[in-house]
Amino acid sequence: MSKSVKITCSNIFQAKEKKEMKEKYTQKWVELINLIEKNK
């Protein structure tokens, strides 16, 4: 009865290094802004 589920949400704040976390955070903002601009 179990169904396979694709997880689309991930925690970007689990980075080990601060620099890596900062880069991932910035990348997610860029993706969000691009999505918003695309939908206008």
Side-chain angles (χ1 to χ4, degrees):
M1 288 194 93
S2 66
K3 297 179 181 179
S4 64
V5 177
K6 182 180 178 186
I7 299 174
T8 57
C9 181
S10 63
N11 188 349
I12 64 165
F13 299 105
Q14 291 181 338
K16 294 178 182 177
E17 294 184 24
K18 190 172 184 176
K19 182 181 179 187
E20 182 183 351
M21 182 181 73
K22 203 176 205 181
E23 289 171 354
K24 287 183 178 183
Y25 182 79
T26 302
Q27 181 60 38
K28 290 299 174 184
W29 269 111
V30 169
E31 290 174 15
L32 179 62
I33 292 168
N34 286 339
L35 183 64
I36 292 169
E37 291 295 318
K38 183 179 176 183
N39 290 330
K40 281 188 175 181

